[in-house]
Amino acid sequence: MDAATWGLVATSFGACFVEMVEAVTIVMAMGYTRSWRSALAGVAAALMVLAVVTSIAGYALGRWFPEGVMQLVIGGLLLIFGLQWLRKAILRSSGLKAVHDEDAIYGAEVDAATAAGASPGRLDMFAFMVSFKGVFLEGLEVVFIVITFGLNAGDVPVAGLGAVMAVAVVLVLAIVVRKPLAMIDENLLKYGVGLLLASFGTYWAIEGVGVFRAGQAPLEWPGGDLAILALLTVWLLLSRVFVLVLRGPRAAAADHADPEEAG
């Protein structure tokens, strides 16, 4: 496989893996605290709705937009997604934002489930709705990434394969450990996926600018798909520069607050 295909699989896998970890944490809290039957029913309902959304969105994007317009629009959206993920990663790496903690999230969900009153009937609607909402909202972003990456790369099955592999791995880990997957460095994964999203988004958005030229032919990058690796390096270096810049004032403030300890 070439660099673009490997990047497609890695991004789909990483994005789905991160979102699945968060969704599984919510479902486990509902299952252990309220009702596994109702929680899993919520998961099944969310997956069915996501399947419908995927089919409609994939058909609409593939049929209604010319290639150049699709590259420009989707590339721009992926760049926005990537920059949002990178922004959070930079703030967490610099200490300005709390690190994502699955144990804390699990505890908050358990507290909410315990505080909720008993649900009448065979189906626990609280567990059902919380599980449905968690899986649907986390899965919606994955669906968007898989569809857009697959269509732009001309290989939806490969993008889908990366997502399916991530789902399988997370489910196996959850079944084996039977607790929130806090041992996984989710923040590092989000950092990596953010870099990939920003790199591919930049690559496709610039290609899509060709739609404004005569003939609407996509712009070509020097080196072809290898330009993605160059963009990945650029975004990585820029993000580390921002981390160092943001750490500077924080470290200076800490030194000023406790000069003896700093000395």
Side-chain angles (χ1 to χ4, degrees):
M1 295 193 294
D2 57 19
T5 305
W6 278 112
L8 178 63
V9 174
T11 305
S12 298
F13 180 91
C16 186
F17 192 95
V18 169
E19 303 298 345
M20 275 296 297
V21 168
E22 296 180 2
V24 165
T25 298
I26 296 172
V27 174
M28 291 179 73
M30 294 302 106
Y32 283 121
T33 310
R34 304 281 300 192
S35 165
W36 273 110
R37 177 181 179 181
S38 301
L40 293 177
V43 172
L47 292 177
M48 286 189 289
V49 174
L50 285 172
V52 174
V53 171
T54 302
S55 301
I56 295 175
Y59 178 84
L61 287 172
R63 296 282 184 175
W64 295 349
F65 294 98
E67 181 181 358
V69 174
M70 187 170 67
Q71 285 179 318
L72 180 60
V73 172
I74 291 178
L77 291 174
L78 287 177
L79 182 57
I80 292 172
F81 268 88
L83 292 178
Q84 288 178 338
W85 284 42
L86 277 181
R87 174 180 172 274
K88 292 179 181 179
I90 290 170
L91 291 176
R92 284 170 176 151
S93 296
S94 61
L96 297 178
K97 185 178 177 66
V99 175
H100 195 87
D101 188 344
E102 288 299 326
D103 283 332
I105 294 173
Y106 180 82
E109 293 292 343
V110 168
D111 290 342
T114 304
S119 180
R122 299 181 62 185
L123 186 66
D124 187 327
M125 289 305 298
F126 184 87
F128 176 88
M129 291 306 299
V130 172
S131 298
F132 175 89
K133 178 182 176 182
V135 173
F136 179 76
L137 293 181
E138 302 297 345
L140 200 59
E141 190 168 352
V142 173
V143 166
F144 172 80
I145 292 173
V146 169
I147 289 178
T148 53
F149 261 71
L151 288 175
N152 252 344
D155 206 337
V156 175
V158 169
L161 176 62
V164 170
M165 290 169 57
V167 171
V169 171
V170 172
L171 289 180
V172 169
L173 288 175
I175 293 172
V176 171
V177 302
R178 297 187 178 184
K179 62 180 183 179
L181 304 180
M183 76 291 292
I184 297 171
D185 193 340
E186 188 177 338
N187 298 287
L188 181 60
L189 282 175
K190 283 187 174 181
Y191 195 176
V193 174
L195 288 171
L196 289 170
L197 289 175
S199 301
F200 275 94
T202 304
Y203 182 84
W204 283 326
I206 296 300
E207 278 194 334
V209 171
V211 74
F212 299 110
R213 301 191 307 173
Q216 298 185 338
L219 297 179
E220 294 186 4
W221 283 85
D225 291 341
L226 292 177
I228 297 173
L229 298 178
L231 289 170
L232 184 62
T233 302
V234 170
W235 280 117
L236 175 60
L237 293 176
L238 281 175
S239 67
R240 299 317 298 173
V241 168
F242 280 118
V243 169
L244 292 174
V245 170
L246 292 174
R247 276 181 180 172
R250 183 170 174 268
D255 290 344
H256 181 73
D258 194 353
E260 292 185 1
E261 184 177 343

